Every structure is written in C-alpha cells, then in structure tokens.
Amino acid sequence: FFCEMARFLSLCCVFASLVGVGALATQPRLSLSRRDISKLTTLGAAALALPPPSFASGGSTDLKTDRTVAMNKYLPRVKGGRDYWANQLPGQISGSDWTAIGVAVSVRPDPKDRRGQMKKYGPILGMVGPLELWASSFSRGAQRSPDTADMLAAVEEFKLAIELLDLATAEKVKDGGLFGFFGATKEPSASEREKNAKLALAKGSKALNDYLKVANGQLKAMGEPLLPLV
C-alpha cells in the first residue's frame, strides 16, 4: 500500500512540475491581463480599423502631403516614448524603481478629468498606438506596403517587451510551483523582477531599432531629420 501511495505522490509531483513550467511560459500574458494593459489590444485594433489621416477617405492625392500629416501627428509620441525608453528606463531598471516603470507601462485615470472618463497612458504604453498608426501611413488604400508590414511586426515584438516589463512590476504573479496549479500567487523576487526587466529592455530595444531603421528610410526620402536608434 505504501509503495503504491509513494508512486502516486511521485506522479503528482511530476505532473505539477510540468504544469508549473507551462505557467511560467505564459506568465507575461497572464500578468498583462491582470492589469489594465489590455488597452494594447484596443490600440492595435485601432491601427488596423482606422485609416491614417486622409488615406482611403477621399483626402489628399499627394502621397508626400499625406505622409507629412501622419508624421506630424504621430512622430512626437513616438519620439517621446523612444527617448524615455533609451534615456530613463535603463536607470530605472538598475535602480529597481519598479513603481516608475509600472506607471510607464500602464493606463490610469487622468487626474485632470473631473468626470473620470479620460485616461492617461504611461510614456511607454502610450507610444504603441502612434507606432502602429504611423506605420500604417506608409501604405495606401487596402494594400499593405512592405515597410508597413515590417514596422508592424516590430511593434508586435515591442508589445512582448512591454508584457515583460509589466511582469517585472507586478505585485503578484502566478506561482510556477506545485501550488500554482491551484491558482496560488506569489510576490516576484528581486532577481525575477530584474531578469524580466533586463530581458524586456533588450527585446524592446531591438524591436524599436528594427522599427526606426525602416522609419528612417522613409524620413530620409522625405528630406526629414532621422531618428536616433536606441
């Protein structure tokens, strides 16, 4: 009897460890759904559903004019987010300033709005929509250009980096051990936070550089100043 019981407990532990591995693999997305960063999906849908300024809507027939309008509309947010990522985020990670990073990748009620209807996006999360919409401006009509496709692919990689940052700043994450099978949560350790944040920084920097290289090709053709890489 005791031998059979020991064998059963051993099988349970193996099964629980396998479940734990699966949970760890999906933790970033679980963490993201735990907080309000589901707004990423809304921003992405907006980029696909709404045409860029005057595109496919009977606006200007001058492609350069259309792209200039889009650049003036979206570039300031893209540049602001890029500057935050390159200049402030590394120091916040090395200083373990998880509160500041959490604000940068979240959406919160706008304190200036007394009705509580307006939302204020952090500088990192707030650049996702402009990144996608600006990328879409390099296509015309329903046909997606290669540059738009490459830029949107880079944005998808950037979103994964934001998910990792959200995981690094989370108060609680799903326990990847035996008790995680029962829905238990735990506070991430300092080493786990740092690991996820550094991985996010590397992944997000590559994604932004991939995006900016394509964007700079378009800016050069328009005679506009180029954006520095991260």
Side-chain angles (χ1 to χ4, degrees), residues 84-180:
Y84 187 97
W85 186 276
N87 300 328
Q88 297 189 48
L89 182 61
Q92 291 172 346
I93 293 175
S94 62
S96 301
D97 193 349
W98 309 122
T99 299
I101 298 173
V103 171
V105 296
S106 66
V107 54
R108 302 163 184 264
D110 190 338
K112 297 180 180 179
D113 178 29
R114 296 181 179 179
R115 297 182 179 181
Q117 298 177 347
M118 302 296 292
K119 300 296 182 181
K120 186 177 181 63
Y121 292 89
I124 293 177
L125 182 67
M127 70 185 296
V128 173
L131 282 171
E132 291 182 315
L133 289 166
W134 192 32
S136 297
S137 75
F138 296 118
S139 293
R140 198 164 181 83
Q143 186 68 31
R144 178 179 291 185
S145 72
D147 279 359
T148 292
D150 289 344
M151 293 169 80
L152 290 178
V155 176
E156 291 303 310
E157 291 299 311
F158 187 64
K159 288 180 184 179
L160 296 178
I162 294 179
E163 292 176 2
L164 285 169
L165 285 178
D166 182 67
L167 183 63
T169 61
E171 295 179 2
K172 298 288 184 180
V173 295
K174 188 172 182 180
D175 192 335
L178 174 62
F179 294 104

Side-chain angles (χ1 to χ4, degrees), residues 41-52 55-56 132-133 136 144:
T41 304
T42 304
L43 291 169
L48 297 177
L50 298 178
F55 281 30
E132 291 182 315
L133 289 166
S136 297
R144 178 179 291 185

